[in-house]
Amino acid sequence: MTENEKTIHKFYSAFAKANYKEMVTCYHHDIQFRDPVFKSLSGKEVSNMWQMLLERSKGNIKIEFSNIQADDYTGSAQWIATYNFSKTNRKVVNVIHASFNFKDGLIIKHQDNFDLWKWSKQAFGIPGYLLGWTGYMQQKIQTTAEQSLKKFEQTI
């Protein structure tokens, strides 16, 4: 296993233990994060997002990861998050492809890709099925996530 593969493994192992503090030790201080829900986060926002998500899960999240690959500069992994979405208490099984860039032995860029419509169908049921593919619904999901993170950051 390369050093960067070990870093990815450490990140997801900490995630599986709901340990956001250990997760963020894998990140460079200039971390850039992107995904379909939170769009683009950087620096402390990224660790705050993981803290918020793990605290809201109240330990009821299952993280599985596989296909870790990395060289000196880039890496990737597949992971699955199974949890109940906090706003609706609906079960979500989110299949995610992650890609990474490394600097100084740490993750400097982390991008998670998943099907936001599939996620919204699970998280919201019929409204997600009917509207989750639309730009309007996806923008609403993103705006709500951004506001939720900002509100959470005011409490920590």
Side-chain angles (χ1 to χ4, degrees):
M1 199 180 289
T2 69
E3 289 304 311
N4 288 337
E5 286 172 338
K6 289 177 185 175
T7 299
I8 295 170
H9 191 274
K10 177 183 175 185
F11 178 85
Y12 287 111
S13 294
F15 198 175
K17 294 183 282 186
N19 185 342
Y20 77 90
K21 289 180 182 178
E22 186 176 344
M23 290 170 68
V24 300
T25 66
C26 300
Y27 282 151
H28 191 278
H29 68 275
D30 290 329
I31 182 68
Q32 299 290 314
F33 177 87
R34 294 189 62 79
D35 86 350
V37 172
F38 286 95
K39 294 186 348 185
S40 181
L41 301 174
S42 60
K44 189 72 174 152
E45 292 174 320
V46 182
S47 61
N48 292 344
M49 173 200 61
W50 292 124
Q51 180 182 357
M52 178 183 76
L53 293 175
L54 287 171
E55 286 182 6
R56 288 188 176 166
S57 76
K58 297 179 178 141
N60 295 318
I61 187 168
K62 179 181 175 188
I63 303 298
E64 301 169 273
F65 56 96
S66 62
N67 299 329
I68 294 173
Q69 299 177 14
D71 58 27
D72 290 343
Y73 305 102
T74 63
S76 63
Q78 298 293 125
W79 63 285
I80 301 170
T82 304
Y83 59 95
N84 286 355
F85 181 57
S86 61
K87 295 204 183 319
T88 61
N89 201 37
R90 294 178 57 88
K91 183 178 179 179
V92 172
V93 179
N94 199 11
V95 178
I96 301 149
H97 174 77
S99 58
F100 305 94
N101 292 88
F102 297 91
K103 182 178 179 184
D104 303 327
L106 297 170
I107 301 165
I108 192 156
K109 288 186 181 174
H110 178 177
Q111 181 163 338
D112 282 343
N113 292 304
F114 58 89
D115 185 332
L116 188 54
W117 183 30
K118 185 174 182 180
W119 178 89
S120 69
K121 289 187 281 187
Q122 295 176 78
F124 297 110
I126 297 295
Y129 178 79
L130 295 174
L131 300 172
W133 61 273
T134 66
Y136 170 78
M137 179 78 159
Q138 292 183 3
Q139 179 66 41
K140 184 152 180 62
I141 290 167
Q142 293 163 344
T143 300
T144 301
E146 180 183 348
Q147 291 169 345
S148 188
L149 180 57
K150 285 182 180 179
K151 187 175 179 180
F152 177 78
E153 289 176 320
Q154 292 172 356
T155 68
I156 56 174

